Amino acid sequence: MGTAAGGERSVPRYVQIAEEIVQQIRAGVLKPGQMVPSESELVDRYGVSGGTIRKAMVEVRASGLVETRHGKGSIVKDRPPVRHRSSDRFRRSHRRGGKAAYLAESAQSGATAKVSVLYIGPMEAPEDAARRLGVDAGAQVLARRRLYFRNGTPVETASSYLPWDVVKEIPELFAENPGGGGIYARLEDHGHEFAEFVETLQARPASKAEASELALSPGAPVVHLIREARTTEGRVVEVCDTLMAADQFVFEYRIPAAD
């Protein structure tokens, strides 16, 4: 890569082109649902090779603002971020009001939410979930797998794992709809009062299967979040393994400054 006058490194042409296209999307020049100009159109517009345009479009797709449709090109997404308020979303007041966390945060953002249940039933605990739950690897747990939609678009998958000795006395947890406030409300109804929720996040590219499930472009960024729901007795009664489309969420945390 060359350097500009004064020793500053020059920006590759494909990066400049990508930044211009991204700015057009963010400024509304290219609107949601609109096709990004074709490779040949961009070659003519910028006077560069097709290879340069292809490299630029890799950068544009990495922004999460477009999706590629086979045989049709790239289209601007209609996927404004949902604010994911992790410091607020598990308030007991939401559960008492009959709202599960996802529905509560979607309502706050003005989005229309839908939850599709993919599986509910017994399963051998995956190794990581078993360790977090304090049970033997392969021990029977209750698994609840869901696919979450916002305004008709899949944005998140979540798999909850709950200890069998806890759930066997709570029949509502085996139902698709566990009732107002979701599974956390039912657990508290049965004496499992929550003290805290501990979340671990990792950003990474989506696998091919994950991208397909969340309607993302191949390799699009996702956030892998694992949450432990801990009771006042210090027991983890749920591990939730969640995968989110990164362009859909903004994470906001409140961190106490006290000693």
Side-chain angles (χ1 to χ4, degrees), residues 237-251:
V237 294
E238 184 229 22
V239 170
C240 188
D241 191 324
T242 303
L243 193 75
M244 292 170 283
D247 67 324
Q248 281 289 290
F249 296 93
V250 175
F251 296 88

Side-chain angles (χ1 to χ4, degrees), residues 31-36 65-69 73-77:
K31 295 177 171 55
Q34 187 174 343
M35 299 299 297
V36 175
L65 297 174
V66 304
E67 60 182 324
T68 301
R69 296 181 179 176
S74 296
I75 188 170
V76 179
K77 293 181 181 179

Side-chain angles (χ1 to χ4, degrees), residues 27-86:
V29 177
L30 289 172
K31 295 177 171 55
Q34 187 174 343
M35 299 299 297
V36 175
S38 68
E39 180 180 318
S40 61
E41 289 174 313
L42 292 173
V43 165
D44 290 340
R45 177 182 300 179
Y46 292 105
V48 296
S49 68
T52 298
I53 294 302
R54 286 190 289 275
K55 290 171 72 174
M57 287 307 301
V58 169
E59 298 295 316
V60 173
R61 286 192 290 272
S63 73
L65 297 174
V66 304
E67 60 182 324
T68 301
R69 296 181 179 176
H70 183 66
K72 293 186 178 180
S74 296
I75 188 170
V76 179
K77 293 181 181 179
D78 182 14
R79 298 166 70 94
V82 171
R83 185 166 296 278
H84 185 101
R85 294 185 174 89
S86 289

Side-chain angles (χ1 to χ4, degrees), residues 2-248:
T3 57
E8 294 183 359
R9 298 175 70 86
S10 61
V11 178
R13 186 61 177 137
Y14 75 89
V15 173
Q16 295 175 343
I17 294 170
E19 289 177 348
E20 185 172 322
I21 295 172
V22 167
Q23 283 304 114
Q24 290 175 356
I25 295 172
R26 289 176 173 158
V29 177
L30 289 172
K31 295 177 171 55
Q34 187 174 343
M35 299 299 297
V36 175
S38 68
E39 180 180 318
S40 61
E41 289 174 313
L42 292 173
V43 165
D44 290 340
R45 177 182 300 179
Y46 292 105
V48 296
S49 68
T52 298
I53 294 302
R54 286 190 289 275
K55 290 171 72 174
M57 287 307 301
V58 169
E59 298 295 316
V60 173
R61 286 192 290 272
S63 73
L65 297 174
V66 304
E67 60 182 324
T68 301
R69 296 181 179 176
H70 183 66
K72 293 186 178 180
S74 296
I75 188 170
V76 179
K77 293 181 181 179
D78 182 14
R79 298 166 70 94
V82 171
R83 185 166 296 278
H84 185 101
R85 294 185 174 89
S86 289
S87 296
D88 174 75
R89 68 197 303 260
F90 296 119
R91 286 183 181 273
R92 192 165 283 110
S93 59
H94 289 324
R95 295 195 290 278
R96 288 172 178 165
K99 291 182 179 179
Y102 179 75
L103 299 179
E105 75 180 9
S106 295
Q108 289 173 350
S109 71
T112 300
K114 176 187 173 184
V115 182
S116 177
V117 176
L118 305 178
Y119 175 78
I120 300 174
M123 178 182 288
E124 292 186 2
E127 184 176 349
D128 183 66
R131 177 181 60 80
R132 294 172 184 272
L133 290 170
V135 301
D136 294 334
Q140 180 172 276
V141 295
L142 173 64
R144 295 179 59 93
R145 179 166 170 76
R146 294 90 66 201
L147 178 61
Y148 293 87
F149 295 81
R150 187 189 66 80
N151 295 340
T153 299
V155 297
E156 174 181 340
T157 63
S159 296
S160 289
Y161 304 100
L162 301 97
W164 196 258
D165 66 300
V166 170
V167 303
K168 67 181 182 181
E169 306 296 337
I170 311 176
E172 297 94 332
L173 296 182
F174 292 80
E176 283 197 14
N177 182 357
I183 65 173
Y184 290 162
R186 301 292 78 74
L187 286 163
E188 288 202 313
D189 288 345
H190 287 77
H192 303 283
E193 182 179 352
F194 291 109
E196 63 178 356
F197 300 90
V198 179
E199 295 184 337
T200 303
L201 296 84
Q202 179 186 17
R204 59 172 174 79
S207 69
K208 186 175 181 179
E210 292 166 346
S212 176
E213 190 166 39
L214 291 175
L216 299 171
S217 300
V222 291
V223 175
H224 185 198
L225 182 151
I226 298 178
R227 181 174 62 254
E228 298 178 5
R230 297 178 180 175
T231 69
T232 53
E233 296 180 349
R235 183 174 185 186
V236 176
V237 294
E238 184 229 22
V239 170
C240 188
D241 191 324
T242 303
L243 193 75
M244 292 170 283
D247 67 324
Q248 281 289 290

